[in-house]
Amino acid sequence: MNRLAIQGGHLVDPASNRDGPADLFIADGTVVAVDTPPAGFTPDRRIDAAGCIVLPGLVDLSAHLREPGASRKGGIVSEARAAAAGGITTLVCPPCTTPVMDTPSVVELVHSRAHEAQAARVAPLGALTQGLEGEHLAEMAALRDAGCPAMADGGRPVSHTLVLRRALDYAATFSLPVVLTPEDPHLAAGGRVHEGETATRRGLPGQPAATETAELSRILALVEETGARVHFARISTGRGAELVAEARLRKLPVTADVAIHQLYFTDLDTVEYDTAAHVRPPFRTQTDRDALRRAVADGVISAVCSDHQPHDPDAKACPFADSEPGISGVETLLALTLRLVDDGLLPLTEAIRRLTHGPAGCLGLEAGTLAPGAPADLTVADPQAVWRVTAEEMLSRGRNTPFLGWELTGRAVTTVVGGQVVHPPRPPVSYHR
Amino acid sequence: MNQQLDEHGRLRHLLTTEGLPRDLMTRILDTAESFSGVIGKSVKKVPLLRGRTIINLFFEPSTRTRTTFELAAQRLSADVLNIDVATSSASKGESLLDTLRNLEAMQCDAFVVRHGESGAAHFIARHVNPGVAVINAGDGRHAHPTQALLDVFTIRREKGAFEPLTVAIVGDILHSRVARSQIHALMALGAGEVRVIAPRTLLPSHIQRFGVRVYEDMDAGLDGVDVVIMLRLQRERMRGALLPSQGEFFRRYGLTEKRLERTKPDAIVMHPGPINRGVEIDSAVADGPRSVILQQVTNGIAVRMAVMSMVMGAGGETTAAAVQEEQLS
């Protein structure tokens, strides 16, 4: 038996409309009651959440764990633990591993390593096509049975429109959502930054906003015909957000997310060739950033993710265009999203919704709420805790973040996955009782 | 980008002409002027950088730029080492940072760097030991500051003041580090008007923000200009759908004697080289009386001497004075 009581905290559970003081009672990995304990409930452990907010565990729709394939950059164990420390309880990871996540055996490997980590859950996305090469369909049904909640292009858009159409139809056969990268590969080719004044000044090859809007339009045309459930990964332009809003108004089954750093930086942040600000899609204009913020506030964008991409130092210690894109983000996702609340962009409950129920809904994950009966994945966070982002304190193997040195407010204190406290990690003693 | 200036506003590296203060730029040109006397003499050396080591670190092939840097260094009595990385360690997988560390371990005082990626010179300047100077000899599409400085030096010699001048830069602006550096230099020096002339596929986005006027029609763009700067059109631009053919480009944007009639009668014609005869410029113009293309090459040595002496702390007006003394003795 494993009974846990979380008492004295302020529960924010947008999915069940809760935003107030409440105690939470957990048994065998499940939330069994909110407010009052079931008759005869005696907890094995109590967590005092006084002064803290109690949230459904964060669901991060994009985290590259670098395993299998690139262990210099990160690993399932290190990144899942870093995520747990950041209050994340579900990590959705894209299929662009080496080997590609296109067979159940790779999925099983990831699951077993994630189990070993005793930290955030890991939900690998299956490859939409074999080897992510955009030619032959992957065995989607087998991947689903192995535990993939959705299929994805893994950042390698399927350029052959007929193959994409068939992939969407086939995925729809098994009610599988499909996660697609809205990036026209030809317009993107070689472009490291947003096409605009900064790109011209710095002599860096740019990619226009049409890289995103052209691809969104192509995909939306196919969604219209197939009715396939599509999630757009990493919107970066204001016009892109508008296209998503229009599609949703027309009741097309599409959702979208944004990487948290897109809400803070613009192309001007690449002006000094800072490779930490090299991301894909690139930081765009201030107008785009403001539009993305509004789209998050309005709910057009239903999920905010970390787009976690840890790197070894060498990947960033080179001229800008030679550097690899991406930010190590799982440890800053919560605080940076809470900062949007401080900025007056959206209320706390909506901010938490974009990190929990919102992303879970995009892929139909059984997560993101603390209603009785739900899996006991939760985060107790101190919303007042002030801390500084430093390379030394990061748990991720990648310390590549442009937020280094930032002072942030709000931090996960305790993270629970399936009723087990995974952060802070338990001291290695097991003689009690 | 003030990475290139020290706390006293002196030139520490030369990475770009963008943001370079006008008086500093003028000082470089004045210093170059004093060196150009040396070049004409029978004994072509001054001892300003005796005992110092300069490494020419070229990740891209170059003949003219590297040679003039080498000559400039030799005339300042420095020891020069040419490293052609295109054919050495980088092709064996060594990182730029490792290459740099290894060369630094050989106790050099300055790097002259050419690299295919924009920002490479900034990257190197950020990572060298304090006291080691970096001169950008061309990075990607970003900057080629010594080329721009020798161009404005040439313009100043031919035309005097910058204020009354209209300068047209013609051709592949999109891929040109030379054009970007020229525009920044001309703007800082107060040139009356700078125009860029190119088809839209060869114009970078937001180039107007540099303060230039954009012309897509060459005849209109050349109207009444004092200086025409032609840019080299790389053959590979014919791939990738930027242009239909060399022939069509030459017909619309090639500089011919007929087109030159649109300019002021005393207009000069410049080109950073190497020229593509019949692609961007007609031989009759390149070899004609208005062309100062070979003067540019000669001036490159004096300008590079000036930059080297200044970034290596033998700098500024003191250099000019020292040279004059040297010449008198």
Side-chain angles (χ1 to χ4, degrees), chain A residues 160-216:
Chain A
H160 195 305
T161 310
L162 182 58
V163 173
L164 181 59
R165 156 85 199 250
R166 287 176 173 156
L168 291 178
D169 267 336
Y170 193 74
T173 308
F174 303 98
S175 308
L176 280 163
V178 177
V179 179
L180 296 177
T181 309
E183 180 189 276
D184 179 298
H186 305 293
L187 288 172
R192 298 295 200 283
V193 291
H194 175 65
E195 183 181 281
E197 185 181 349
T198 304
T200 296
R201 280 193 188 279
R202 290 294 150 258
L204 291 169
Q207 53 159 277
T211 304
E212 180 166 296
T213 51
E215 181 67 356
L216 278 172

Side-chain angles (χ1 to χ4, degrees), chain A residues 286-325:
Chain A
Q286 192 171 337
T287 312
D288 289 304
R289 187 194 63 182
D290 294 347
L292 290 174
R293 282 183 158 231
R294 279 196 306 278
V296 168
D298 298 347
V300 166
I301 290 176
S302 9
V304 175
C305 69
S306 73
D307 198 13
H308 182 65
Q309 297 182 38
H311 281 294
D312 54 300
D314 294 343
K316 294 285 189 179
C318 49
F320 192 92
D322 286 341
S323 70
E324 294 178 52

